[in-house]
């Protein structure tokens, strides 16, 4: 069940501080990753954080919601339609594809509210861990590090889609009913501060399947944030740290399997035997009724690129004696249930770190051969020759192109790259009848502004 940010605030007004975890768990649901029975008679924050098993179960509820809830799980389809990756075939149209989103759009409201629900839950975990007198120091470090990362990660998605936003660091309803939007610089600094603290708290993967946040996951997001904020040296350093500790997956058909060596962080499907929402969303037979890959992405691949062969599926439909071929994203290949889950939805993978480091090196212009080498790691796996780009500008163009074909229909990479490169209008205006430069940001939901006028001013173009 998803509740709006402000409704959740007002619900908290009627709850005492000892029952907030009950609201979190009843709102977010449960997951079988940690099989723990929570106290049935009086589910208080003291009870939940009295031992590591129940405290971890509270944290896992947030992971479960991240796996299945709007902004953290459905960026691939929404932003694929918003850019040049996917075409819509819905009879009634699609606001993302048509660029007709308005401030009263219910899906935009759900993106916002579900994200802040999870942030509130992360803050409640942070508070409970801090106040616990029974958890060990080691357990406190692990739980706090994971919750800090979750808070930073969700805020990073929000700032990249809505622009300046409130950065919520408390579960106190009195403070949160009147929050204001912060500057982009301030939001990014809060994200970085949370991640740096989390990095100092977390060590190796404690899950065995890379489904809980650990040190390398934090570094992966730090590398991305440093890249997006043009802190090239720091981006290069963080990416290098990760690259040194992971093994490159050379087989294209194994990149998206749950045991792929290049996966840094992924969500575990539930229940056992289910696979990824992306496979369910993208794979179809016959004529598409929802969406299909666009000609833009099909034409972006170089001749001989094995990703086009292995990561794109085809199907046909015949009408009036005419047969047409349609294309869909086939990175994840299991749209249904299997005996045991074969594919987990991947959030961070090693290829991004190579391309982050390549871009940072090209921007610094102090290691162009290193940038070429990183780019060629990606190209070699795709069956392509080494890049011929040898200047800073040529390399940056080649790297952004490589990101387009490596990360198509993955977690909004294409949209974020178009935005930060300043090329969104140039690419999308010829393709989108309703494109406007103000489409670079989603609107702040009108329902939220009505409840909290401090969220004004509305983003340009949505008044």
């Amino acid at each position: 069940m998803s509740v709006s940010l402000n409704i959740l605030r007002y619900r908290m007004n009627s709850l005492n501080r000892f029952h907030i975890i009950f609201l979190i768990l009843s709102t977010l649901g449960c997951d079988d990753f940690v099989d723990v029975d929570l106290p049935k008679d009086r589910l208080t924050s003291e009870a939940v954080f009295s031992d590591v098993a129940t405290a971890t179960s509270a944290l896992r509820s947030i992971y479960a919601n991240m796996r299945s809830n709007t902004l953290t799980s459905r960026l691939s389809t929404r932003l694929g339609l918003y850019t040049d990756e996917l075409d819509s075939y819905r009879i009634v149209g699609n606001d993302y594809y048509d660029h007709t989103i308005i401030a009263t759009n219910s899906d935009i409201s759900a993106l916002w509210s579900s994200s802040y629900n999870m942030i509130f839950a992360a803050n409640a975990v942070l508070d409970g861990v801090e106040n616990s007198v029974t958890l060990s120091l080691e357990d406190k470090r692990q739980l706090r590090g994971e919750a800090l990362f979750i808070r930073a990660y969700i805020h990073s998605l929000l700032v990249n889609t809505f622009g300046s936003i409130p950065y919520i660091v408390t579960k106190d309803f009195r403070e949160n009913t009147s929050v204001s939007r912060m500057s982009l610089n301030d939001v990014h600094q809060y994200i970085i501060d949370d991640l740096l603290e989390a990095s100092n708290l977390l060590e190796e993967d404690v899950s065995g399947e890379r489904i809980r946040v650990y040190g390398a996951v934090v570094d992966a997001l730090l590398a991305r944030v440093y890249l997006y904020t043009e802190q090239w040296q720091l981006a290069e350093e963080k990416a290098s740290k990760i690259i040194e500790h992971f093994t490159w997956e050379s087989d294209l058909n194994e990149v998206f399997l749950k045991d792929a060596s290049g996966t840094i962080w992924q969500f575990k499907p539930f229940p056992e035997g289910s696979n990824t929402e992306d496979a369910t969303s993208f794979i179809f037979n016959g004529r598409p009724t929802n969406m299909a890959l666009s000609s833009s992405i099909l034409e972006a691949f170089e001749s001989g690129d094995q990703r086009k062969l292995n990561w794109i599926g085809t199907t046909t439909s015949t009408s009036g004696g005419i047969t047409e071929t349609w294309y869909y994203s086939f990175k994840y290949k299991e749209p249904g249930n299997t005996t045991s889950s074969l594919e987990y939805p991947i959030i961070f993978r090693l290829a991004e770190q190579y391309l982050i480091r390549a871009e940072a090196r090209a921007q610094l212009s102090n290691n162009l051969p290193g940038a070429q080498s990183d780019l060629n790691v990606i190209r070699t796996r795709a069956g392509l020759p080494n890049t011929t780009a040898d200047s800073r500008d040529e390399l940056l163009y080649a790297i952004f192109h490589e990101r387009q074909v490596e990360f198509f229909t993955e977690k909004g990479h294409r949209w974020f790259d178009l935005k930060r490169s300043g090329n969104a209008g140039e690419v999308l205006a010829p393709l989108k009848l309703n494109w406007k430069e103000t489409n670079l940001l989603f609107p702040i939901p009108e329902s939220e502004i009505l409840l909290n006028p401090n969220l004004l001013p509305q983003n340009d173009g949505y008044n």
Side-chain angles (χ1 to χ4, degrees):
M1 177 178 65
S2 177
V3 294
S4 81
L5 173 58
N6 286 288
I7 291 173
L8 184 57
R9 295 172 193 153
Y10 296 130
R11 285 185 181 178
M12 287 183 175
N13 195 6
S14 63
L15 298 171
N16 64 45
R17 62 185 296 272
F18 301 111
H19 292 82
I20 289 176
I21 297 299
F22 177 81
L23 175 61
I24 294 169
L25 293 176
S26 63
T27 299
L28 298 182
C30 297
D31 192 286
D32 73 336
F33 179 74
V34 178
D35 188 12
V36 172
D37 286 329
L38 295 168
K40 300 293 193 299
D41 54 344
R42 187 168 179 267
L43 187 57
T44 65
S45 59
E46 284 93 343
V48 170
F49 294 102
S50 63
D51 76 39
V52 67
T54 51
T56 303
S57 188
L59 187 67
R60 291 305 301 167
S61 293
I62 309 176
Y63 280 97
N65 208 24
M66 292 173 69
R67 178 194 60 218
S68 60
N69 218 317
T70 53
L71 189 60
T72 49
S73 68
R74 299 174 188 169
L75 282 178
S76 300
T77 52
R78 283 164 172 77
L79 294 183
L81 287 162
Y82 204 67
T83 60
D84 57 346
E85 294 182 324
L86 297 170
D87 287 336
S88 175
Y89 290 89
R90 290 179 56 182
I91 296 175
V92 296
N94 183 289
D95 288 341
Y96 291 94
Y97 180 75
D98 297 330
H99 282 248
T100 53
I101 292 171
I102 57 177
T104 56
N105 182 287
S106 60
D107 195 68
I108 291 294
S109 179
L111 293 178
W112 176 281
S113 63
S114 64
S115 297
Y116 277 106
N117 288 346
M118 290 182 281
I119 290 168
F120 271 104
N123 286 333
V125 169
L126 288 167
D127 185 78
V129 169
E130 177 69 23
N131 292 324
S132 174
V133 296
T134 53
L135 289 173
S136 70
L137 179 59
E138 180 182 3
D139 289 334
K140 281 189 169 186
R141 288 173 61 87
Q142 178 68 38
L143 294 166
R144 179 171 177 80
E146 289 182 75
L148 283 169
F149 172 88
I150 290 169
R151 185 169 76 182
Y153 175 61
I154 297 171
H155 277 109
S156 75
L157 297 179
L158 285 165
V159 75
N160 282 313
T161 48
F162 292 96
S164 60
I165 55 167
Y167 199 97
I168 306 297
V169 296
T170 175
K171 63 179 177 59
D172 189 331
F173 69 89
R174 289 176 293 270
E175 294 184 35
N176 292 324
T177 53
S178 58
V179 291
S180 299
R181 299 168 71 186
M182 300 177 180
S183 70
L184 296 180
N185 286 340
D186 285 347
V187 174
H188 282 124
Q189 192 57 56
Y190 269 108
I191 292 170
I192 290 169
D193 288 346
D194 274 353
L195 291 175
L196 289 174
E197 182 180 352
S199 182
N200 289 329
L201 294 170
L202 297 172
E203 298 180 357
E204 296 300 316
D205 179 22
V206 296
S207 71
E209 294 184 295
R210 288 157 286 170
I211 57 178
R212 286 181 68 175
V213 172
Y214 57 102
V217 178
V218 181
D219 288 336
L221 181 55
L222 268 170
R224 181 189 294 178
V225 174
Y226 285 142
L227 187 80
Y228 284 13
T229 55
E230 301 183 358
Q231 299 180 71
W232 312 123
Q233 187 64 49
L234 291 170
E236 180 188 15
E237 291 172 2
K238 285 298 180 184
S240 294
K241 181 180 177 182
I242 297 168
I243 290 169
E244 290 170 2
H245 288 90
F246 279 82
T247 302
W248 182 246
E249 183 63 72
S250 59
D251 188 336
L252 285 171
N253 282 313
E254 296 185 2
V255 171
F256 295 94
L257 296 178
K258 67 178 183 181
D259 297 320
S261 61
T263 297
I264 299 170
W265 184 39
Q266 57 192 349
F267 292 141
K268 184 173 183 177
F270 178 77
E272 179 61 41
S274 57
N275 289 284
T276 71
E277 185 176 298
D278 279 2
T280 304
S281 298
F282 289 131
I283 297 173
F284 62 92
N285 291 311
R287 185 178 180 84
T289 58
N290 189 13
M291 57 192 163
L293 288 177
S294 69
S295 58
S296 295
I297 186 61
L298 296 174
E299 293 166 2
F301 288 92
E302 297 172 48
S303 176
D305 193 326
Q306 296 302 297
R307 288 169 296 196
K308 189 173 185 180
L309 176 65
N310 290 277
W311 290 357
I312 292 179
T314 62
T315 184
T316 60
S317 66
T318 301
S319 178
I322 299 175
T323 299
E324 295 179 280
T325 301
W326 309 92
Y327 301 87
Y328 53 85
S329 180
F330 198 44
K331 290 178 171 180
Y332 297 103
K333 306 183 189 306
E334 299 291 343
N337 291 347
T338 48
T339 303
S340 62
S341 302
L342 300 175
E343 298 170 338
Y344 293 0
I346 297 170
I347 312 302
F348 294 121
R349 58 187 181 93
L350 189 57
E352 181 185 4
Q353 300 304 312
Y354 273 101
L355 290 174
I356 284 175
R357 190 170 70 174
E359 185 178 340
R361 286 173 166 176
Q363 290 284 6
L364 290 167
S365 298
N366 64 351
N367 189 357
L368 295 184
Q372 291 173 317
S373 177
D374 286 339
L375 179 57
N376 288 335
V377 170
I378 309 296
R379 292 179 60 82
T380 297
R381 182 171 69 185
L384 296 173
N386 288 345
T387 182
T388 58
D390 58 5
S391 69
R392 172 186 175 276
D393 289 345
E394 287 178 345
L395 272 169
L396 288 173
Y397 179 87
I399 291 164
F400 272 92
H401 176 265
E402 206 65 40
R403 290 179 65 95
Q404 179 186 10
V405 291
E406 176 71 21
F407 299 124
F408 71 95
T409 66
E410 273 189 72
K411 306 303 177 189
H413 277 287
R414 175 62 170 165
W415 173 237
F416 300 142
D417 287 345
L418 286 173
K419 279 182 60 179
R420 66 189 182 88
S421 67
N423 293 324
E426 178 183 346
V427 171
L428 298 181
L431 303 174
K432 305 283 188 175
L433 181 64
N434 298 311
W435 166 262
K436 303 180 293 295
E437 286 300 321
T438 52
N439 292 156
L440 289 172
L441 297 174
F442 289 168
I444 306 300
E446 184 177 288
S447 57
E448 299 289 335
I449 291 176
L450 290 173
L451 289 168
N452 178 15
N454 288 332
L455 294 174
L456 289 170
Q458 176 62 275
N459 289 332
D460 290 345
Y462 298 103
N463 293 313

